[in-house]
Amino acid sequence: MANTNELGLVKIRRALISVSDKTGIVDFATELKRFGVQIISTGGTAKALRDAGIDVLDVSDVTGFPEMMDGRIKTLHPKIHGALLGLRDNPGHVAAMSEHGIEPIDMVVVNLYPFEQTIARDRVTIEEAIEQVDIGGPAMIRSAAKNWSDVAVIVSVEHYQPIVNEMKSRDGSLSKTTRLKLARQAFSRTASYDMIISSQLTSSLVDIDGSDRVGFGIRTGTGGGGFSFTRVASQMSQQMRGLADRGFLLLQKKLDLRYGENPHQKAALYDVGWDSGVANAELLAGKEMSFNNYVDADAAWQLVCDFDELACAIIKHTNPAGVALGATTEEAYRRALACDPVSAFGGIVAFNRPVDENAARAVSEIFTEVLIAPDFEQAALEILKPKKNLRVLRTAASRNAESLEYKQISGGMLVQTSDTHRLKREDLKVVTKRAPTDKEMDDLLFAWSVCKHTKSNAIVYVCDQQTVGVGAGQMSRVDSVKIGAMRAQLSINNSVLASDAFFPFRDGIDEAAKHGVTAIIQPGGSKRDQEVIDAANQHNLAMVFTGVRHFKH
């Protein structure tokens, strides 16, 4: 019964079609009929095909059992699964199929109940969601995919035309290579489907409000494979108040990028299901985004989202070249730019407020790679759109505070909760003889927020809610102090200083004092804290401890 030619061709003689999404199914079935394929079908699919004039054999006629239990039982029968799982070159299997009247099925065309779309609706009941858990569909997909050497399994509308094209070129047959590719895609689909169901049943355990309704609280997006998907690990882990023993991250390719960090690397953008953040930003103008554009834009966006006040950040290679608050977006931008106008060339600019005409005009004065903001006035867009090398991104919402962060290492994946800590004035501990003035305290809190988004070892100088010097990514903390001062384009005299981690020695304090720093914010926690405090007192500096560090690697 098997086809043993060098391509492993299998002639498609019988096909079982049972689809929830009926897009294109009539045309596909019509093509199958032209090859003389017998079509077996169920319920609504059978009706749709018959209405189109296509001859169909009901599953119940094959199994000898009617559909029952509101359609829960249709295809779970030996005459269906035996027809899919039986090995055509195994004499024992062939004999068993013959003895029990099981005729082979060579193709399965199935897409699943719309569970994802159902749970995306507001306040869906558990009962409504459960009824959209497909059982027979995944079972048939898995049976057919397991026996891919004999059976072709199709789970996406996108596969219809390529399958028809191959059958036309191979006299109604499909190659072994094609069947294996289809099987891989089939198992991926059932795996993602099960992960989504598992996640939402987990969430229902904590969200039930006593009225039999459940707030699933998910975000879905439609992937290129014709199905919806969701990020599942984050919610499950957060709801269980810890990192789960098993984590899942379902990825759907959104678009291919020209290349990765370097031209010899391939890259693509994948969606994890959230409807916010840089990955889901709308490109309003400019060229397509690159890998590095996305990385830097995300760093800029996350930084400005940490401020409640109107803020602007200019990022270069994920580190802040300048950050400032302002009464207007233009003022915030010009103050941020003043910190390091040289590094700002070719940088990424982010605002946490809509961009107006004046700010757009200011940003356009120097070459900028990406401008990202929650929105743009029409007059601003008219200024920005002619700049073909400027990518203009609009974000729908701020980043999701409940997300997990993933970092790949060789042989594994590191997972952590996002650093969403927001420091409050009352959290600070004054450790020096002199307490900060109100102005110093405001600047210290601002500097601390910027420092959180600067690569460690990080030192940030601030004056009047504006960065005036940044030392980032050095192996030595005192070197970061020196570099931040050395690169300062504005005066750092009477500025304050933030350090993302404790000072291990007093040399960093002594160096900061040379440049006129008046107050310092740092986590504390070093065994030499007293030595560092004594140095601050000797220089009449105010110093506060946060008790929290912000390493960023």
Side-chain angles (χ1 to χ4, degrees):
M1 300 174 70
N3 208 318
T4 57
N5 58 67
E6 67 277 6
L7 293 177
L9 296 177
V10 167
K11 187 87 167 180
I12 306 302
R13 295 181 173 86
R14 299 179 87 216
L16 193 158
I17 303 178
S18 180
V19 292
S20 176
D21 178 3
K22 296 176 176 55
T23 304
I25 196 60
V26 169
D27 291 340
F28 184 60
T30 300
E31 293 291 342
L32 292 180
K33 278 296 184 181
R34 288 177 180 156
F35 294 106
V37 176
Q38 182 185 49
I39 295 177
I40 306 163
S41 193
T42 62
T45 304
K47 182 180 184 304
L49 296 178
R50 283 198 182 97
D51 288 348
I54 299 172
D55 184 41
V56 173
L57 180 65
D58 285 319
V59 164
S60 58
D61 292 333
V62 175
T63 63
F65 281 84
E67 294 185 14
M68 60 182 71
M69 300 180 187
D70 299 319
R72 286 191 172 199
I73 304 297
K74 289 185 285 193
T75 58
L76 297 172
H77 193 279
K79 286 198 173 182
I80 298 299
H81 287 274
L84 299 174
L85 287 166
L87 297 173
R88 318 302 163 80
D89 58 357
N90 183 309
H93 287 204
V94 172
M97 293 170 75
S98 178
E99 178 183 355
H100 296 285
I102 298 174
E103 187 175 350
I105 295 174
D106 310 303
M107 176 184 286
V108 168
V109 185
V110 172
N111 55 58
L112 305 177
Y113 289 176
F115 181 82
E116 300 102 317
Q117 292 92 331
T118 299
I119 61 176
R121 300 202 310 260
D122 291 338
R123 307 294 289 170
V124 63
T125 65
I126 296 175
E127 290 77 14
E128 289 170 335
I130 289 297
E131 283 307 309
Q132 294 304 318
V133 174
D134 202 326
I135 302 299
M140 286 192 293
I141 290 172
R142 291 175 63 83
S143 290
K146 177 174 180 176
N147 197 20
W148 61 267
S149 60
D150 294 312
V151 182
V153 54
I154 301 172
V155 297
S156 171
V157 172
E158 293 182 348
H159 299 157
Y160 295 168
Q161 192 57 52
I163 292 300
V164 169
N165 293 342
E166 180 169 342
M167 290 178 70
K168 286 181 177 179
S169 67
R170 302 192 189 281
D171 191 28
S173 298
L174 294 175
S175 70
K176 188 174 185 178
T177 299
T178 295
R179 297 194 306 276
L180 177 58
K181 181 179 178 180
L182 291 172
R184 291 194 193 107
Q185 294 167 330
F187 279 123
S188 176
R189 176 60 180 128
T190 57
S192 66
Y193 193 73
D194 286 342
M195 283 193 293
I196 294 166
I197 294 168
S198 173
S199 171
Q200 302 318 313
L201 292 183
T202 298
S203 70
S204 70
L205 296 178
V206 296
D207 287 342
I208 293 175
D209 62 10
S211 63
D212 89 343
R213 289 187 174 270
V214 54
F216 285 100
I218 71 154
R219 296 171 175 83
T220 60
T222 301
F227 56 87
S228 295
F229 54 90
T230 181
R231 186 178 190 167
V232 297
S234 173
Q235 292 174 329
M236 182 163 56
S237 298
Q238 296 302 308
Q239 289 156 355
M240 301 306 287
R241 301 192 181 279
L243 297 180
D245 291 336
R246 290 179 182 270
F248 306 103
L249 185 62
L250 180 61
L251 304 177
Q252 177 68 40
K253 185 189 283 189
K254 197 164 188 176
L255 56 94
D256 288 307
L257 304 177
R258 285 181 298 163
Y259 50 79
E261 284 184 286
N262 301 290
H264 61 274
Q265 295 173 268
K266 294 182 179 179
L269 173 66
Y270 286 81
D271 199 335
V272 295
W274 296 123
D275 57 6
S276 62
V278 174
N280 297 288
E282 182 182 2
L283 182 63
L284 300 179
K287 298 189 300 185
E288 63 192 49
M289 293 279 286
S290 71
F291 183 97
N292 293 333
N293 287 155
Y294 275 113
V295 173
D296 287 335
D298 188 57
W301 179 242
Q302 291 197 38
L303 198 164
V304 295
C305 283
D306 256 355
F307 289 100
D308 295 324
E309 307 91 342
L310 191 161
C312 175
I314 303 173
I315 293 290
K316 198 70 173 288
H317 303 307
T318 73
N319 278 310
V323 185
L325 304 184
T328 66
T329 49
E330 180 189 8
E331 181 186 19
Y333 170 74
R334 293 198 182 280
R335 299 185 78 226
L337 179 65
C339 177
D340 190 349
V342 174
S343 295
F345 184 86
I348 311 294
V349 176
F351 292 95
N352 62 359
R353 296 289 193 279
V355 175
D356 60 18
E357 180 179 0
N358 292 334
R361 203 176 301 282
V363 172
S364 298
E365 290 173 359
I366 68 169
F367 171 56
T368 300
E369 287 269 5
V370 179
L371 173 57
I372 182 170
D375 208 350
F376 296 83
E377 292 182 358
Q378 185 58 42
L381 288 176
E382 290 175 3
I383 293 169
L384 298 170
K385 284 184 176 181
K387 304 287 184 179
K388 298 303 181 183
N389 292 322
L390 172 62
R391 299 154 182 87
V392 180
L393 294 181
R394 177 167 60 198
T395 55
S398 62
R399 63 193 179 93
N400 191 289
E402 298 300 322
S403 64
L404 295 180
E405 294 178 351
Y406 299 81
K407 185 181 291 289
Q408 183 183 359
I409 59 173
S410 56
M413 187 79 75
L414 298 173
V415 182
Q416 66 176 356
T417 57
S418 297
D419 185 0
T420 57
H421 185 269
R422 299 282 291 270
L423 190 67
K424 299 177 182 177
R425 192 177 296 249
E426 55 267 29
D427 297 331
L428 298 175
K429 178 182 178 182
V430 178
V431 295
T432 48
K433 294 177 181 177
R434 185 174 78 79
T437 65
D438 288 342
K439 177 184 178 300
E440 286 174 332
M441 188 65 80
D442 289 341
D443 280 348
L444 288 170
L445 290 169
F446 176 87
W448 183 251
S449 293
V450 177
C451 204
K452 171 183 171 181
H453 296 274
T454 307
K455 292 294 181 69
S456 188
N457 288 316
I459 295 292
V460 175
Y461 294 85
V462 165
C463 187
D464 296 327
Q465 309 285 278
Q466 173 189 29
T467 56
V468 293
V470 178
Q474 300 305 307
M475 289 69 76
S476 163
R477 190 159 299 277
V478 69
D479 282 348
S480 289
V481 176
K482 292 177 181 178
I483 289 172
M486 177 188 71
R487 299 191 68 256
Q489 303 295 304
L490 301 171
S491 173
I492 59 174
N493 188 45
N494 294 318
S495 67
V496 305
L497 180 149
S499 174
D500 66 333
F502 63 66
F503 285 94
F505 305 99
R506 66 169 290 163
D507 55 0
I509 308 303
D510 293 332
E511 182 66 28
K514 290 180 184 178
H515 302 289
V517 165
T518 64
I520 293 173
I521 185 170
Q522 60 132 322
S526 168
K527 64 182 181 180
R528 294 186 178 87
D529 271 351
Q530 192 56 55
E531 175 185 319
V532 170
I533 293 169
D534 290 343
N537 283 328
Q538 290 172 20
H539 295 294
N540 194 33
L541 304 180
M543 182 182 289
V544 294
F545 282 3
T546 67
V548 175
R549 81 175 191 198
H550 281 306
F551 274 164
K552 185 176 179 63
H553 284 79

